[in-house]
Amino acid sequence: MLAVVPVLLLLLAAFLTWFLALIKVRPGSIWLIIAVMSTAAWGVLLLFGLRAPEPLMINEWLPGPHNFTSLIYSWTPQNWAIGFLVINLLTAVIFSEAKYLDSPDYIRKISGSLYLGAFALLAVMAGSPLSFVVAWSLIDLIEFGVLSVLIGQERSLVSAATSILFRGIGIFLLIFLTSVIPLDDFQTGSVVFTSSLWGVVIFLALFRMGVLPLFQPFQSSPAYQRGIVTILRLVPIATTFAFIQYILAAGQPVRLGGVWFTVTTIAILWGAVSWFAAANELQGRSYFIFTLAGFGLAALMTANPEALPGLAVVLISAGAGL
């Protein structure tokens, strides 16, 4: 249980946000409590970087002869770096949101950010296919709720539904992989990938990165763009980087070149040029994330997990400021 303490702290903070708002506690007092709890989660995760706790394992979670039987959440030197970047992003958003305490949607924005941050950590520390399915499903559910309740624009709802549909395809592709590959092979790192299965993995990662559709008409107000929209845009790709680390460690990957790598390279170059040519940083943010997604896919195709922490640093540090 110790491994999920940061997640539990963030979920408790989200619950307290709503409860304290219902009993009419002042927004400033609510913000202070949230800031303390998120900082505590940040501190706990920092300690986990020095000494990782025992994994949380729930075996035989679902009865029956199938591969969805184990929930595993753990911190490793590889996924901890991405998780720490995610908690840093969330903490920065919480502190920067203090200037919008008087806005009418403050409670919904900050609680949505907490839920997304908590489930993002859960996805980053996932250690089995079922763990990714559960965490990703929760992220998609919260995102659709945030966009429908908080932003509520018709164009946003259509775009959000399309984006979540693409990411749902990614979840179904993961379920397909798990149905054809024994669970023991995932846990022992002995998966034998064929070219076809590796192609499924690439499309799975692409769909889960949240770059399709490229342009999502979120609120243009800085109160949204610099806060919860930043989390909405960065969480899917950050958790996919964690999945790429996991799948590369699960077995012997198939190195792909030729058409696959050529298309990815062209996409990276197009994203980079479009980013530099954008009128401002907010218009260019979609291209920036698209470019980082391309580099993530390139790391997957070349079986280079060492590149992912560096890409995650660029994604969170630069992407949060765009």
Side-chain angles (χ1 to χ4, degrees), residues 229-280:
V229 170
T230 297
I231 295 179
L232 286 172
R233 289 189 181 277
L234 299 187
V235 158
I237 186 171
T239 58
T240 305
F241 283 174
F243 171 76
I244 293 174
Q245 285 184 328
Y246 169 78
I247 205 70
L248 287 175
Q252 184 63 38
V254 178
R255 293 177 179 269
L256 296 178
V259 175
W260 291 88
F261 203 76
T262 300
V263 171
T264 303
T265 303
I266 293 173
I268 292 172
L269 292 174
W270 175 80
V273 171
S274 300
W275 174 44
F276 280 109
N280 55 56

Side-chain angles (χ1 to χ4, degrees), residues 4-319:
V4 295
V5 165
V7 176
L8 296 177
L9 283 172
L10 296 178
L11 292 176
L12 178 59
F15 171 77
L16 286 177
T17 300
W18 282 106
F19 177 75
L20 294 175
L22 287 174
I23 62 176
K24 307 299 182 182
V25 175
R26 293 182 302 173
S29 300
I30 296 176
W31 175 85
L32 181 60
I33 294 172
I34 295 171
V36 170
M37 296 190 70
S38 63
T39 303
W42 179 90
V44 171
L45 194 52
L46 178 63
L47 292 177
F48 287 172
L50 302 175
R51 183 183 178 90
E54 291 295 319
L56 173 64
M57 303 180 64
I58 305 176
N59 295 316
E60 305 301 329
W61 190 71
L62 289 174
H66 50 71
N67 288 338
F68 284 98
T69 57
S70 297
L71 277 172
I72 303 173
Y73 293 103
S74 63
W75 292 108
T76 66
Q78 291 73 35
N79 66 18
W80 177 86
I82 297 178
F84 192 63
L85 288 167
V86 169
I87 194 70
N88 273 285
L89 170 64
L90 176 63
T91 305
V93 166
I94 289 172
F95 277 87
S96 66
E97 287 281 274
K99 57 186 174 184
Y100 300 116
L101 287 175
D102 294 332
S103 64
D105 289 330
Y106 174 75
I107 296 299
R108 285 182 288 184
K109 285 190 299 182
I110 206 68
S111 61
S113 298
L114 287 165
Y115 280 123
L116 286 169
F119 295 140
L121 288 182
L122 207 60
V124 168
M125 61 189 298
S128 70
L130 178 59
S131 303
F132 277 104
V133 169
V134 170
W136 278 344
S137 299
L138 290 170
I139 289 172
D140 293 349
L141 179 64
I142 293 298
E143 176 174 335
F144 189 76
V146 165
L147 292 175
S148 59
V149 175
L150 183 60
I151 297 179
Q153 299 176 349
E154 183 177 351
R155 292 176 62 230
S156 294
L157 292 179
V158 173
S159 181
T162 305
S163 176
I164 291 172
L165 175 62
F166 277 116
R167 281 185 275 163
I169 294 173
I171 291 177
F172 281 113
L173 289 177
L174 178 55
I175 293 173
F176 168 75
L177 276 179
T178 309
S179 67
V180 298
I181 299 174
L183 180 62
D184 289 342
D185 290 355
F186 279 106
Q187 295 178 338
T188 59
S190 57
V191 176
V192 178
F193 289 104
T194 63
S195 296
S196 299
L197 286 179
W198 200 242
V200 172
V201 171
I202 291 173
F203 278 108
L204 190 168
L206 173 62
F207 286 132
R208 284 304 314 175
M209 283 181 171
V211 295
L212 301 173
L214 181 60
F215 297 102
Q216 298 195 48
F218 295 130
Q219 284 273 11
S220 58
S221 168
Y224 291 86
Q225 288 289 347
R226 301 302 185 188
I228 192 168
V229 170
T230 297
I231 295 179
L232 286 172
R233 289 189 181 277
L234 299 187
V235 158
I237 186 171
T239 58
T240 305
F241 283 174
F243 171 76
I244 293 174
Q245 285 184 328
Y246 169 78
I247 205 70
L248 287 175
Q252 184 63 38
V254 178
R255 293 177 179 269
L256 296 178
V259 175
W260 291 88
F261 203 76
T262 300
V263 171
T264 303
T265 303
I266 293 173
I268 292 172
L269 292 174
W270 175 80
V273 171
S274 300
W275 174 44
F276 280 109
N280 55 56
E281 71 275 14
L282 290 179
Q283 291 185 16
R285 178 156 62 175
S286 295
Y287 297 113
F288 173 81
I289 295 173
F290 183 86
T291 303
L292 266 293
F295 280 117
L297 289 177
L300 175 61
M301 293 177 188
T302 57
N304 185 18
E306 294 81 7
L308 293 167
L311 291 175
V313 169
V314 175
L315 174 72
I316 300 297
S317 60

